[in-house]
């Protein structure tokens, strides 16, 4: 047995230990732990924007994507003094509020970041997300489906941003005006209204059938996932997939042209962000009062 390699780096005045920097986390993509940490450092302004101030769940793959993985809600031990937590029902969630914390999580091989849909201390959703979940493992219609939902939202004058989930699905992301205290309950009713309309308009493409065995080959509009205590993949989170894909906001034009989610990965994201910036941050937070007033 070889001895574990460890080195330390100073970040924000904190000493962060890096163990086994040459360990391959993504074999097909050729990404070692030190490569991964460098990519996380570049992504940090975006991951902190969408994960900071939330209750964070991570997926850890200590020996890379093809070995055992596990979900982690409780803050790993030992917890360095620079890592802050927020507690809900005896679970001490990490608050991803600094680059030091991100590097610490990266060293623990946290390959996915799934934040709560509400901010720490608030019962209200911070954004509204409609999740499109293919029933088929390979679904060539997923971008067509996302575009159809985008058109329905546009007809309601709701501006949204599509993003790859980083896995097989697409999520439609609607930033909410911060001063508006929209509830999960009302947004779920609006989600059900839009999903039901989509199923009616495109009966061969969409379903709202919750049981996978009853969906056939249709794409599930999961308006139920947007709820208290649930999570969705953060914008710009890597995923534990062989192409090293990550959840990437898209232009509607790219969706219309049927882009391939595998093209948005840890190797390509830096150039994309330098060229296009954060597409979510470029749209105004949405006011949904007129739509939600119909639901009591």
């Amino acid at each position: 047995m070889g001895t574990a390699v460890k080195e330390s780096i100073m970040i924000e005045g904190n000493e962060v230990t890096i163990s086994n920097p040459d360990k391959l986390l993504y074999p097909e993509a050729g990404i070692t732990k030190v490569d991964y940490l460098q990519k996380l450092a570049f992504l940090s302004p975006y991951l902190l924007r969408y994960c900071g101030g939330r209750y964070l769940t991570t997926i850890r793959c200590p020996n890379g994507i093809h070995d055992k993985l596990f979900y982690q809600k409780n803050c790993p031990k030992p917890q360095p003094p620079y890592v802050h937590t927020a507690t809900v029902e005896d679970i001490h969630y990490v608050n991803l509020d600094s680059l030091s914390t991100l590097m610490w999580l990266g060293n623990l091989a946290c390959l996915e970041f799934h934040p709560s849909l509400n901010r720490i201390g608030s019962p209200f959703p911070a954004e509204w997300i409609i999740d499109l979940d293919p029933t088929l493992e390979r679904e060539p219609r997923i971008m067509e489906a996302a575009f159809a939902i985008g058109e329905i939202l546009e007809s309601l004058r709701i501006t949204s941003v599509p993003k790859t989930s980083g896995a097989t699905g697409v999520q439609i992301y609607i930033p909410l005006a911060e001063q508006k205290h929209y509830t999960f309950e009302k947004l779920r009713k609006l989600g059900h209204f839009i999903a039901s309309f989509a199923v009616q308009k495109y009966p061969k493409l969409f379903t709202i059938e919750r049981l996978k065995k009853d969906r056939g080959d249709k794409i599930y509009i999961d308006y139920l996932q947007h709820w208290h205590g649930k999570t969705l993949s953060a914008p710009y989170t890597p995923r534990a997939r062989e192409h090293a894909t990550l959840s990437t906001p898209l232009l509607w034009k790219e969706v219309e042209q049927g882009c391939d989610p595998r093209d948005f990965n840890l190797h390509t994201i830096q150039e994309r962000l330098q060229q296009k910036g954060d597409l979510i941050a470029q749209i105004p937070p949405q006011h949904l009062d007129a739509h939600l007033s119909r639901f009591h």
Side-chain angles (χ1 to χ4, degrees), residues 113-127:
F113 301 90
H114 298 257
S116 61
L117 298 162
N118 58 306
R119 293 187 172 88
I120 291 169
S122 168
F124 300 107
E127 63 279 308

Side-chain angles (χ1 to χ4, degrees), residues 52-236:
R54 312 280 185 115
Y55 305 100
L56 183 69
T57 300
T58 59
I59 295 181
R60 290 177 60 186
C61 305
N63 294 307
I65 62 168
H66 295 304
D67 209 319
K68 289 193 180 83
L69 62 79
F70 58 95
Y71 284 78
Q72 180 123 35
K73 290 181 180 288
N74 262 307
C75 180
K77 299 295 180 193
Q79 177 186 342
Y82 56 81
V83 173
H84 303 134
T85 57
T87 303
V88 178
E89 294 175 355
D90 297 331
I91 297 175
H92 305 291
Y93 291 92
V94 171
N95 177 2
L96 180 46
D97 59 358
S98 69
L99 175 59
S100 312
T101 301
L102 180 61
M103 291 292 99
W104 178 69
L105 291 171
N107 179 59
L108 294 174
C110 295
L111 301 189
E112 301 195 12
F113 301 90
H114 298 257
S116 61
L117 298 162
N118 58 306
R119 293 187 172 88
I120 291 169
S122 168
F124 300 107
E127 63 279 308
W128 179 36
I129 303 173
I130 300 171
D131 189 25
L132 302 181
D133 187 12
T135 305
L136 304 175
E137 185 59 34
R138 291 298 308 278
E139 176 51 89
R141 302 169 299 169
I142 189 63
M143 292 298 164
E144 177 194 339
F147 195 76
I149 299 294
E151 284 189 317
I152 293 170
L153 289 169
E154 190 179 26
S155 73
L156 296 169
R157 296 188 178 155
I158 298 171
T159 303
S160 61
V161 178
K163 75 177 182 78
T164 65
S165 70
T168 56
V170 171
Q171 291 148 0
I172 315 295
Y173 194 104
I174 301 103
L176 299 177
E178 267 196 49
Q179 71 275 23
K180 295 292 183 181
H181 287 163
Y182 301 129
T183 63
F184 281 103
E185 289 81 1
K186 282 202 170 178
L187 287 172
R188 179 173 278 191
K189 287 176 181 173
L190 181 56
H192 180 256
F193 170 78
I194 288 167
S196 301
F197 179 75
V199 169
Q200 197 177 355
K201 191 173 180 185
Y202 305 99
K204 292 183 176 171
L205 187 59
F206 291 119
T207 181
I208 52 173
E209 174 56 60
R210 291 180 72 176
L211 294 176
K212 198 163 187 175
K213 66 180 179 65
D214 297 333
R215 293 180 198 163
D217 65 349
K218 295 174 186 174
I219 292 167
Y220 177 49
I221 306 175
D222 190 354
Y223 63 92
L224 297 169
Q225 186 63 20
H226 190 266
W227 196 247
H228 309 271
K230 292 183 181 287
T231 64
L232 282 161
S233 54
Y236 307 105

